[in-house]
């Protein structure tokens, strides 16, 4: 099974550059074209948040115009630049439409790898959290199929990466219990995230947690004690997660 992970699309109204610099809509079109050219074609595409820059309806129109070119299933979650209300409207006809009336979380049961998507967003905040209600749901879902290989998708990373201004808005509340749940469920092959606009990996709670780069601009690599918040136009990229029973998930950056 091949799973493509796109992240941090930051779609903007047509004709508008993100931060007046990054042509994120054009770069998203390029990413979609690159996915369409993959051989073998992926079984599905994950989008780990920040589909839009400001969570506006016209930005979702721009994002969907590109994503609708993909013939395979697309599963998305909101990020801190999205709004749940507009996200729900944009994806109201999607097969993954969320089970919960508040949080955008769901489980996909139709592939070789089970996919559990978690909503880590906080309205009007760039940081993330997993409250007890979301974690209860997550724990219950895992218990329903404890022997099946599972990939968990979320926007905010549950670990510090050393880029201080990004760590300050990572998953803050609920991190400890989330780690306990992951540690207790050996079927979790990977925790995949977005948000940081860089390819970053860490051993986490007995598995691997992995951050995807962005399809547009990247966050500058600055591991100094007080890094300055800035982005750079490094080459955009996405991840391909390949699953086989004999190897588990092996990830490539494209």
């Amino acid at each position: 099974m091949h799973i493509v992970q796109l992240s941090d699309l930051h779609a903007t109204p047509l004709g508008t550059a993100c931060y007046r610099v990054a042509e994120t809509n054009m770069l998203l079109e390029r990413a979609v074209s690159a996915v369409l050219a993959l051989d073998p074609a992926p079984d599905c595409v994950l989008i780990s948040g920040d589909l839009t820059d400001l969570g506006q309806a016209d930005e979702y129109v721009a994002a969907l115009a590109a994503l609708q070119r993909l013939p395979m299933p697309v599963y998305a979650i909101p990020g801190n630049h999205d709004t749940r209300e507009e996200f729900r409207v944009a994806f109201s006809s999607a097969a993954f439409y969320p089970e919960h009336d508040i949080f955008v979380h769901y489980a996909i049961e139709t592939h070789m790898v089970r996919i559990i998507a978690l909503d880590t967003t906080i309205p009007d905040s760039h940081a993330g959290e997993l409250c007890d209600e979301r974690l209860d749901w997550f724990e219950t879902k895992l218990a329903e199929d404890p022997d099946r290989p599972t990939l968990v998708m979320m926007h905010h990373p549950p670990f510090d990466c050393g880029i201080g201004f990004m760590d300050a808005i990572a998953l803050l509340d609920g991190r400890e219990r989330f780690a306990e749940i992951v540690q207790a469920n050996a079927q979790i092959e990977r925790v995949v995230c977005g948000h940081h606009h860089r390819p970053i990996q860490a051993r986490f709670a007995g598995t691997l947690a992995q951050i995807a780069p962005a399809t547009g601009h990247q966050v500058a690599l600055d591991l100094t004690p007080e890094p300055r918040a800035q982005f750079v136009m490094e080459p955009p990229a996405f991840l391909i997660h390949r699953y086989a029973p004999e190897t588990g998930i092996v990830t490539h950056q494209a």
Side-chain angles (χ1 to χ4, degrees), residues 92-190:
S92 59
S93 61
F96 69 82
Y97 193 73
E99 303 173 9
H100 198 277
D101 58 355
I102 298 176
F103 305 119
V104 181
H105 55 211
Y106 53 89
I108 301 296
E109 313 284 0
T110 54
H111 300 290
M112 186 182 300
V113 173
R114 190 179 190 218
I115 298 165
I116 297 181
L118 286 174
D119 180 348
T120 59
T121 60
I122 307 170
D124 302 316
S125 173
H126 288 299
E129 71 174 3
L130 283 172
C131 60
D132 283 340
E133 184 175 356
R134 281 176 272 194
L135 289 168
D136 289 346
W137 177 89
F138 178 50
E139 195 167 29
T140 298
K141 279 294 173 185
L142 288 167
E144 290 174 358
D145 201 346
D147 299 318
R148 189 169 169 202
T150 299
L151 180 148
V152 178
M153 174 172 63
M154 56 203 293
H155 182 65
H156 295 84
F159 61 91
D160 289 343
C161 74
I163 302 176
F165 66 90
M166 295 306 300
D167 289 337
I169 56 170
L171 184 74
L172 302 181
D173 294 333
R175 184 185 296 195
E176 294 78 11
R177 185 180 169 202
F178 175 70
E180 291 171 359
I181 294 171
V182 172
Q183 185 77 54
N185 285 272
Q187 76 271 29
I188 297 177
E189 291 273 342
R190 193 68 54 91

Side-chain angles (χ1 to χ4, degrees), residues 5-242:
Q5 182 188 355
L6 307 179
S7 198
D8 298 274
L9 317 181
H10 283 262
T12 59
L14 294 178
T16 305
C18 186
Y19 303 119
R20 296 182 292 180
V21 174
E23 296 287 352
T24 47
N25 293 353
M26 175 271 289
L27 291 165
L28 173 57
E29 291 285 357
R30 285 188 182 180
V32 168
S33 295
V35 172
L36 290 171
L38 291 174
D39 185 12
D43 296 277
C44 64
V45 172
L46 309 182
I47 306 177
S48 48
D50 280 2
L51 284 83
T52 65
D53 192 47
L54 297 174
Q56 299 174 169
D58 53 352
E59 295 176 326
Y60 285 102
V61 169
L64 289 176
L67 296 174
Q68 285 170 352
R69 295 168 53 203
L70 296 169
M72 66 287 296
V74 175
Y75 308 121
I77 53 170
N80 56 295
H81 282 260
D82 294 302
T83 55
R84 288 193 190 121
E85 295 78 10
E86 293 294 348
F87 182 99
R88 285 179 177 274
V89 171
F91 289 98
S92 59
S93 61
F96 69 82
Y97 193 73
E99 303 173 9
H100 198 277
D101 58 355
I102 298 176
F103 305 119
V104 181
H105 55 211
Y106 53 89
I108 301 296
E109 313 284 0
T110 54
H111 300 290
M112 186 182 300
V113 173
R114 190 179 190 218
I115 298 165
I116 297 181
L118 286 174
D119 180 348
T120 59
T121 60
I122 307 170
D124 302 316
S125 173
H126 288 299
E129 71 174 3
L130 283 172
C131 60
D132 283 340
E133 184 175 356
R134 281 176 272 194
L135 289 168
D136 289 346
W137 177 89
F138 178 50
E139 195 167 29
T140 298
K141 279 294 173 185
L142 288 167
E144 290 174 358
D145 201 346
D147 299 318
R148 189 169 169 202
T150 299
L151 180 148
V152 178
M153 174 172 63
M154 56 203 293
H155 182 65
H156 295 84
F159 61 91
D160 289 343
C161 74
I163 302 176
F165 66 90
M166 295 306 300
D167 289 337
I169 56 170
L171 184 74
L172 302 181
D173 294 333
R175 184 185 296 195
E176 294 78 11
R177 185 180 169 202
F178 175 70
E180 291 171 359
I181 294 171
V182 172
Q183 185 77 54
N185 285 272
Q187 76 271 29
I188 297 177
E189 291 273 342
R190 193 68 54 91
V191 176
V192 299
C193 316
H195 192 46
H196 281 11
H197 290 237
R198 291 209 67 81
I200 304 168
Q201 305 84 36
R203 184 184 299 192
F204 176 80
T207 188
L208 181 66
Q210 186 161 23
I211 303 170
T215 60
H217 51 285
Q218 312 302 319
V219 164
L221 177 57
D222 187 346
L223 301 176
T224 59
E226 297 182 3
R228 181 166 61 92
Q230 57 183 325
F231 68 84
V232 291
M233 297 308 297
E234 293 176 354
F238 57 81
L239 301 181
I240 304 170
H241 307 288
R242 178 186 182 274

